[in-house]
Amino acid sequence: MIKNITHFFIVVVAAWSLSSCTPTKELDMVPEKPGKYPVWTERIKLLGAMTKYRSCFDVHYYNLDVQIDPAKKFVGGTVLIAASAVNDFDTLQIDLYPNMNLKSVSCDLGNVKYFRKEGAIFISMPRRMKTGESFSLTVSYDGSPIVARKPPWDGGFVWKKDANGNAWCGVACETEGASLWWPCKDHNSDEADSVDISVTCPSGLMAVCNGLLRDSSDAGKGWKKFHWHVSYNINNYNVTFYIGNLKLLHDTFTSITGKIIELNHYVLPENYEKAKTQFDEVKKILAFYEKTFGAYPWQRDGFKLVNSPFEGMEHQTAIAYGSNFKDSWMGVDYIILHETAHEWWGNAITAKDFSDVWLQEGFATYSESLYLEQEKDKTFYNNYLYFYRLQNLNERPIVGPVGVRYFDYHDEDVYTKGAGTLQTLRATINNDSVFFDIIKTYFSRYEYHQITSEEFISVVNEKTGSDYHWLFNQYLHDRRIPVLEFYWDQGGQFAYHWVDCVDGFKMPIVIDCGDEKQTLYPTTSYQHDRICPVSGAKQFSFDRTAKLYKLRAKSSK
């Protein structure tokens, strides 16, 4: 999901980009009181928690067969869920929003009983399931899904008409969950290995979904059916569709693996010529991400942008593109740049719980800066990330509460401060070959997995040969920005230490003496050093564009 960038932020960054000035104003303010979390309702707990009724089974495959009626704003159909038992159990939970009608539930092993509680459906199996045993459920349902108030951030169904009066509809449901429109095990920790999506829509329109189009057929009485197949694992909120008067724009991309990847974009006919030029940028961005992170994850299923009325959303292999077919101020199409990064960070590697959503949003935001570093230079990279700090609220830790599907788009620290954490890590390691080896190893090791922050930290520690928990404990689990507090002692030495930080915080910092640079290694205890011996005492500056920290000068003691 893209950041909810404010007009103020865009104006400030654009103004900076037109000047040669380096930003100097410190904006890492930390509110006196921490931000409050919402009151967790029973519905949210049932949706977000990994209880025994969810952990007891593993979903392998979904088959969605739905009819979507834009005129009535109505959805109905069946979903087949193929799964196996992780442990012995007799009752499991799947999910479907309470406003949707549950018509029937059946099981291939025999009759089942079920009841609903909020958005959860508890199903008593025909008999006690044994570990490793396979089974399938078929759920029939229909209803009018909730309507998105501000997609993709405040999600749901989007019912629109294009400029020519044709229906356009789609869905964005990352924070709300896929169960707002189809029954599933609605938890990020369990991804089906493959999915078939069949969408029946009014004739004259087209339904575009994830993966590759297998076939289309006349469904009779003014309806047409489109069958799409996803041959990889996919998280539920990424399962999607777009219905509209859409025209195919075909292209190809040669991966670093040597495979030719299909680029099957779909746009409104009036945007076709603009898209031919604008979407050519996709290949350059894919090439950079492959070089930096690893091969494009969905080689069999291709890649596509789909013309949408909302700004953007990283639906796997079917990214919503609602930009204006123009590059942004930094000379690249922001929606393509950010959402394509999610094919690696968020889609191929998914946070097991939204408490660690920075692994998706922080990494995708940081990916923007890496691409711009290649296109511009290292100074542009650092300044780009520096200005993202304008949006840091520092009201809550980046890593949030577990089991409550918490991801509030108003708090953009998971994007901006998450990216700043990676920037700080890179500057602290101070060895790009090691840093980018970490990124590539992390991706190759956990591709197609659902993980927590600890998996990334383990790769950092392995590749550096050091324990970096002190850094991640600070930036992920503490809302404060560390402060370097300093003064000049009576002997003329520079006295300094870290405050407003976790125990054991020990980030080195670089001071610029004009004709030389010097590295200091502060801890939470005061140290005393002579600094800048060539330039003379007190003639120095701190380079804070590459690391998240603040300064506090004290009077001499």
Side-chain angles (χ1 to χ4, degrees):
M1 189 188 297
I2 58 172
K3 298 176 291 301
N4 187 23
I5 303 177
T6 63
H7 176 70
F8 172 73
F9 175 67
I10 295 171
V11 170
V12 170
V13 178
W16 158 72
S17 70
L18 297 174
S19 73
S20 59
C21 299
T22 300
T24 57
K25 186 177 181 182
E26 179 58 67
L27 294 169
D28 292 313
M29 303 303 295
V30 180
E32 183 178 345
K33 294 183 179 180
K36 294 182 179 180
Y37 289 109
V39 175
W40 312 121
T41 64
E42 185 174 25
R43 184 186 72 81
I44 290 299
K45 291 177 182 177
L46 285 168
L47 182 63
M50 179 51 73
T51 66
K52 66 178 182 179
Y53 302 108
R54 288 172 136 179
S55 62
C56 63
F57 72 106
D58 179 28
V59 175
H60 303 296
Y61 171 72
Y62 288 110
N63 188 333
L64 285 71
D65 191 345
V66 298
Q67 184 175 31
I68 299 176
D69 189 338
K72 295 181 179 179
K73 299 182 179 179
F74 197 79
V75 177
T78 61
V79 175
L80 171 72
I81 306 171
S84 63
V86 173
N87 52 256
D88 294 0
F89 75 93
D90 51 27
T91 303
L92 60 76
Q93 174 192 336
I94 61 173
D95 307 281
L96 181 67
Y97 268 44
N99 63 298
M100 300 296 285
N101 304 314
L102 179 62
K103 298 170 72 175
S104 66
V105 179
S106 62
C107 178
D108 64 331
L109 301 180
N111 295 330
V112 297
K113 295 181 180 180
Y114 57 89
F115 71 93
R116 302 182 76 174
K117 186 175 184 182
E118 299 290 346
I121 304 169
F122 292 95
I123 302 171
S124 297
M125 300 298 287
R127 54 178 167 75
R128 186 165 180 80
M129 303 298 298
K130 300 297 183 183
T131 302
E133 189 173 3
S134 298
F135 63 93
S136 66
L137 302 169
T138 301
V139 185
S140 177
Y141 75 106
D142 61 22
S144 298
I146 65 169
V147 175
R149 292 183 293 182
K150 189 180 180 181
W153 305 286
D154 196 340
F157 260 55
V158 181
W159 307 99
K160 297 284 186 181
K161 288 186 181 296
D162 65 24
N164 297 310
N166 300 301
W168 190 102
C169 56
V171 64
C173 57
E174 181 173 7
T175 54
E176 295 76 17
S179 57
L180 74 79
W181 74 282
W182 61 282
C184 58
K185 179 182 176 181
D186 202 358
H187 198 278
N188 287 2
S189 65
D190 193 358
E191 297 184 0
D193 303 317
S194 62
V195 178
D196 279 292
I197 313 166
S198 294
V199 175
T200 302
C201 66
S203 298
L205 300 178
M206 183 173 189
V208 176
C209 302
N210 316 85
L212 292 178
L213 181 63
R214 282 282 177 87
D215 59 67
S216 60
S217 58
D218 183 5
K221 297 182 179 180
W223 296 88
K224 191 169 184 179
K225 188 172 188 175
F226 296 85
H227 173 204
W228 294 77
H229 179 69
V230 179
S231 67
Y232 295 89
N233 60 311
I234 183 171
N235 62 59
N236 290 344
Y237 69 76
N238 264 327
V239 173
T240 199
F241 72 92
Y242 307 84
I243 293 174
N245 180 30
L246 297 168
K247 182 177 180 179
L248 173 64
L249 171 58
H250 177 71
D251 201 351
T252 60
F253 168 73
T254 303
S255 170
I256 57 174
T257 65
K259 182 175 176 60
I260 304 298
I261 297 174
E262 299 294 323
L263 306 181
N264 293 321
H265 309 303
Y266 290 87
V267 298
L268 297 174
E270 59 266 31
N271 294 326
Y272 187 81
E273 291 302 320
K274 291 184 288 186
K276 279 174 64 176
T277 301
Q278 192 66 15
F279 288 1
D280 194 55
E281 196 168 6
V282 166
K283 290 178 283 189
K284 186 176 181 181
I285 291 172
L286 284 172
F288 172 78
Y289 287 156
E290 282 203 324
K291 178 185 72 174
T292 310
F293 308 140
Y296 177 66
W298 322 111
Q299 306 225 341
R300 295 189 301 271
D301 288 1
F303 176 95
K304 55 185 169 290
L305 301 172
V306 186
N307 206 163
S308 75
F310 57 90
E311 198 166 355
M313 179 61 201
E314 66 266 21
H315 297 135
Q316 184 172 308
T317 72
I319 291 171
Y321 179 86
S323 191
N324 57 6
F325 297 93
K326 294 180 180 178
D327 287 349
S328 59
W329 63 269
M330 66 270 201
V332 64
D333 191 312
Y334 174 77
I335 295 299
I336 298 175
L337 183 63
H338 180 87
E339 303 300 1
T340 301
H342 275 304
E343 295 285 36
W344 283 260
W345 317 119
N347 298 352
I349 295 180
T350 305
K352 186 179 292 186
D353 185 281
F354 274 124
S355 58
D356 281 309
V357 74
W358 84 279
L359 293 170
Q360 304 180 181
E361 300 299 354
F363 271 72
T365 303
Y366 186 67
S367 299
E368 301 166 21
S369 70
L370 292 178
Y371 183 80
L372 293 170
E373 180 182 0
Q374 172 191 258
E375 295 299 290
K376 310 289 185 178
D377 55 32
K378 188 68 171 285
T379 298
F380 195 100
Y381 153 91
N382 278 322
N383 288 343
Y384 183 79
L385 289 168
Y386 186 95
F387 272 108
Y388 264 146
R389 289 155 72 172
L390 286 166
Q391 294 175 285
N392 288 355
L393 299 177
N394 299 313
E395 292 180 346
R396 306 173 186 86
I398 293 176
V399 172
V402 177
V404 287
R405 203 180 179 91
Y406 179 73
F407 179 12
D408 186 351
Y409 72 88
H410 292 99
D411 185 352
E412 298 196 9
D413 284 13
V414 294
Y415 297 86
T416 56
K417 194 174 179 181
T421 297
L422 293 172
Q423 177 196 25
T424 300
L425 175 67
R426 178 183 176 184
T428 301
I429 293 172
N430 196 29
N431 185 325
D432 273 359
S433 64
V434 172
F435 177 78
F436 286 105
D437 183 35
I438 288 169
I439 299 300
K440 283 189 172 182
T441 301
Y442 166 60
F443 179 72
S444 64
R445 184 173 298 175
Y446 295 107
E447 184 179 16
Y448 311 127
H449 287 74
Q450 303 80 53
I451 68 168
T452 68
S453 295
E454 195 57 40
E455 277 79 16
F456 176 64
I457 298 170
S458 69
V459 177
V460 173
N461 292 348
E462 172 191 329
K463 291 295 183 177
T464 60
S466 301
D467 188 348
Y468 271 81
H469 277 93
W470 60 266
L471 185 146
F472 292 104
N473 287 342
Q474 178 66 50
Y475 292 108
L476 300 184
H477 299 287
D478 195 302
R479 71 185 183 93
R480 298 172 297 172
I481 298 295
V483 176
L484 185 71
E485 192 173 72
F486 63 91
Y487 68 92
W488 294 95
D489 66 19
Q490 294 180 349
Q493 290 188 317
F494 186 69
Y496 56 94
H497 71 151
W498 287 115
V499 297
D500 292 351
C501 59
V502 298
D503 290 342
F505 188 74
K506 55 181 182 179
M507 184 170 70
I509 56 110
V510 176
I511 56 175
D512 189 340
C513 305
D515 50 9
E516 65 173 314
K517 292 181 186 274
Q518 185 173 343
T519 301
L520 301 179
Y521 298 89
T523 65
T524 52
S525 300
Y526 265 116
Q527 298 180 62
H528 300 256
D529 281 314
R530 293 201 177 277
I531 62 173
C532 300
V534 174
S535 302
K538 302 186 182 181
Q539 301 300 315
F540 65 92
S541 62
F542 295 88
D543 180 6
R544 288 174 290 155
T545 58
K547 293 180 180 178
L548 293 176
Y549 72 96
K550 299 172 68 174
L551 296 170
R552 183 186 300 155
K554 297 187 68 175
S555 58
S556 300
K557 289 186 178 180

